[in-house]
Amino acid sequence: MKNLIAIPVLALAFMIQTAVVSRITLLSGAADIVLLILIAWALQEQVQSSLHWAGLAGLMAAFVSGLPPGVLLIAYMLAVILARYVLRQTWQTPVLALFTVTFFSTLLLHLVTYLALIARGTSIPFGDALALITLPSVFLNFLVALPIHSFIRDLALWVYPLEDML
């Protein structure tokens, strides 16, 4: 039952992503709040369903995105695996973990997307993609990461109360 909260949260995130956030760009980059929600959810210690969220987000992204269906699923799964790996390490500063995983996950997401576009026959110079899309997206993700992390932390405490953990 606790996994069902993912459906409305991710559906709302995709609606906000496509209607609002994708219109707020820096050069050609935009923030990815779905990725940030998945990262923030995976960085919560009490959460065990982060891969389920990534799978659901990848399936929802197949309907929203113009990319091949498996591309965002793979990128979201890799981002959650990276976040869970960082969480298993002895990181006592969740903000540093959040920014580290956000940086590498954004790079990973854009690399997987770039490779999928190259496989489709789209020719985008790598330097242009990095300078005009990826780096501005990293910056915008950093700006949005803290508010999303605090919201997801509160949501995780609501879904997994501390009394259940004892």
Side-chain angles (χ1 to χ4, degrees):
M1 281 311 241
K2 293 181 179 185
N3 290 340
L4 292 179
I5 193 71
I7 296 170
V9 169
L10 291 175
L12 182 64
F14 272 109
M15 284 187 246
I16 293 171
Q17 175 73 33
T18 57
V20 178
V21 176
S22 65
R23 307 292 188 259
I24 302 170
T25 61
L26 178 65
L27 296 177
S28 294
D32 188 350
I33 62 169
V34 175
L35 177 68
L36 295 173
I37 287 173
L38 292 174
I39 291 169
W41 186 256
L43 287 174
Q44 305 304 315
E45 274 189 56
Q46 66 270 29
V47 170
Q48 294 94 19
S49 62
S50 55
L51 281 175
H52 299 109
W53 280 53
L56 180 63
L59 292 175
M60 287 180 171
F63 292 108
V64 176
S65 174
L67 292 169
V71 172
L72 289 175
L73 176 66
I74 291 169
Y76 288 157
M77 288 285 191
L78 291 174
V80 166
I81 290 169
L82 177 64
R84 294 306 285 184
Y85 175 76
V86 167
L87 181 66
R88 279 196 311 257
Q89 304 305 316
T90 56
W91 287 52
Q92 297 300 318
T93 52
V95 174
L96 181 61
L98 173 69
F99 284 133
T100 302
V101 174
T102 299
F103 177 75
F104 286 112
S105 295
T106 304
L107 291 179
L108 189 65
L109 173 78
H110 283 255
L111 179 65
V112 170
T113 303
Y114 181 77
L115 292 175
L117 290 175
I118 292 297
R120 268 193 163 177
T122 306
S123 62
I124 301 172
F126 183 74
D128 289 347
L130 184 66
L132 298 175
I133 300 170
T134 302
L135 294 179
S137 295
V138 169
F139 178 72
L140 290 173
N141 281 345
F142 281 167
L143 289 178
V144 182
L146 281 177
I148 288 178
H149 184 266
S150 64
F151 169 73
I152 293 298
R153 184 176 171 274
D154 290 344
L155 180 68
L157 288 174
W158 179 69
V159 173
Y160 296 100
L162 292 177
E163 299 90 40
D164 291 348
M165 301 303 293
L166 299 176

